[in-house]
Amino acid sequence: MAMTGVLRPGHAQIRVLDLEEGINHYKNVLGLIETARDKQGRVYFKAWDERDHNSVIIREADSAGIDFFAFKVSDKATLDKLDRDLQEYGLKTSRIPAGELLETGERVRFEIPSGHQIELYWEKTDIGTPETYTNPPPWTDAAERGIAPIRLDHCLLYGPDIEKVQDIFTKVLGFYLVEHVVMEDGKTDLAIWLSCSIKAHDIAFVRHPEPGKLHHVSFLLESWEKVLRAADIMSMNKVSIDIGPTRHGITRGTTIYAFDPSGNRFETFCGGYQCYPDWKPIKWTWEEVGTGIFYHDRALNERFLTVVS
Ligand SMILES: [Fe+2]
């Protein structure tokens, strides 16, 4: 498919309760590369195989959670068009000047009905080295330190009005519905998985009464063996593991859910199928929701629907 418009998830800004603890987790346990710190005290990270300057930003705060989740778009014309389209749809947008987030161009921010702040931007400094672009090795030393995911891959957000959220993402931003879970009535969606690419999801939502909540940000690994290695590293570092290693029925990814020291859930996963916008969405029924979320246990754990940050 043509890759135009919204390209991919770009960055997530996450609140942590203790900055030093957060830095240790994201750098030494998760194995992201620290790329900068700014005057506000925020710390910036990228995964070893990402080229742009940052994908995860953490800041210290009194409560954990996510400040915003951003998508990179293909160019300035697209950014301006999507800003206009969002306003015409009825959403209020604001422009955040270039440089407010280090090495990142102007951002368009808007709140979606689930209570989350979503951003679009098109410029972020490419910090790939000469080795990235000429005769590159398949991996570097940084690919061995900590869990070392390839990239920030997607997030799962909890909030109300997810049908309105789906309308915005599909009608304005060009996403398509890949999978969904329906509630007991057989009609109302409990959860939706949306893609702007050929990934099974770039963002997902679960219906939840409280707005603006984070279920998890997710990081991609190359293999099931790396998922197992991630679980080893989590245990070596006394990371609180929610579930896994296991497999999702939905998207087919192999996965671990765990918590950062502040209680923000994160996922390290591998796999999942590739899909296309012309594919009909896959439906999971209420009776099989446990199988959809955790394919082997065939049941949700209590935490899946209740523990968010
Ligand atoms: Fe996920």
Side-chain angles (χ1 to χ4, degrees):
M1 64 179 283
M3 290 290 287
T4 57
V6 179
L7 295 178
R8 60 173 181 270
H11 58 247
Q13 182 166 302
I14 297 163
R15 299 189 299 275
V16 297
L17 304 178
D18 181 294
L19 192 64
E20 286 311 313
E21 219 175 42
I23 293 168
N24 181 58
H25 172 80
Y26 286 93
K27 186 153 75 175
N28 299 324
V29 181
L30 190 51
L32 302 181
I33 296 165
E34 182 183 330
T35 54
R37 298 187 186 200
D38 69 15
K39 284 187 193 144
Q40 295 181 35
R42 296 181 293 187
V43 184
Y44 296 63
F45 300 93
K46 70 182 271 296
W48 72 268
D49 206 26
E50 288 175 324
R51 300 171 184 194
D52 286 354
H53 179 270
N54 58 73
S55 58
V56 173
I57 304 106
I58 64 170
R59 73 172 178 99
E60 192 170 84
D62 293 336
S63 64
I66 189 163
D67 285 330
F68 47 79
F69 190 77
F71 293 92
K72 191 173 193 182
V73 305
S74 47
D75 50 33
K76 183 170 189 327
T78 303
L79 186 70
D80 292 341
K81 179 182 185 306
L82 291 174
D83 188 4
R84 282 196 306 274
D85 291 349
L86 287 162
Q87 291 179 41
E88 274 169 27
Y89 185 87
L91 291 175
K92 192 168 170 294
T93 66
S94 60
R95 294 261 179 168
I96 298 159
E100 194 279 336
L101 202 60
L102 291 182
E103 306 294 336
T104 305
E106 189 179 31
R107 292 129 69 204
V108 171
R109 183 183 290 175
F110 53 100
E111 184 172 308
I112 54 175
S114 58
H116 299 94
Q117 304 292 320
I118 301 294
E119 293 185 351
L120 306 174
Y121 69 94
W122 72 277
E123 280 182 303
K124 201 186 281 280
T125 308
D126 178 345
I127 58 167
T129 63
E131 291 76 37
T132 312
Y133 290 107
T134 310
N135 308 326
W139 48 273
T140 66
D141 289 349
E144 298 260 275
R145 190 169 49 79
I147 294 168
I150 296 171
R151 66 171 182 236
L152 168 71
D153 188 86
H154 64 269
C155 68
L156 172 55
L157 304 175
Y158 272 40
D161 294 329
I162 62 170
E163 55 287 314
K164 292 182 187 163
V165 170
Q166 181 179 331
D167 204 55
I168 293 161
F169 272 87
T170 55
K171 290 191 180 150
V172 185
L173 300 176
F175 285 59
Y176 59 102
L177 181 70
V178 181
E179 301 205 27
H180 61 134
V181 175
V182 293
M183 297 173 76
E184 278 166 304
D185 66 5
K187 298 193 295 247
T188 313
D189 279 334
L190 170 69
I192 52 174
W193 283 258
L194 300 163
S195 179
C196 64
S197 62
I198 59 166
K199 291 157 58 188
H201 55 336
D202 288 295
I203 193 165
F205 294 88
V206 168
R207 187 182 302 279
H208 185 72
E210 210 180 342
K213 305 307 281 185
L214 170 66
H215 188 272
H216 68 265
V217 287
S218 186
F219 299 92
L220 179 67
L221 300 170
E222 298 112 305
S223 68
W224 170 237
E225 198 169 3
K226 289 252 165 105
V227 176
L228 185 65
R229 177 180 173 275
D232 292 342
I233 292 170
M234 288 178 196
S235 268
M236 287 174 198
N237 289 279
K238 307 280 188 285
V239 169
S240 171
I241 295 177
D242 183 4
I243 193 164
T246 183
R247 180 195 285 279
H248 293 306
I250 298 162
T251 76
R252 299 183 203 153
T254 53
T255 179
I256 308 168
Y257 284 155
F259 296 97
D260 80 1
S262 304
N264 295 303
R265 191 187 279 95
F266 68 100
E267 174 179 44
T268 54
F269 87 107
C270 155
Y273 58 89
Q274 295 185 341
C275 54
Y276 296 93
D278 63 313
W279 285 16
K280 251 172 72 176
I282 291 172
K283 177 169 84 175
W284 291 81
T285 60
W286 179 254
E287 301 73 44
E288 291 296 326
V289 60
T291 313
I293 303 295
F294 300 126
Y295 198 71
H296 302 154
D297 287 358
R298 281 167 268 141
L300 291 181
N301 62 15
E302 170 65 20
R303 295 179 297 281
F304 184 82
L305 286 174
T306 56
V307 178
V308 288
S309 61

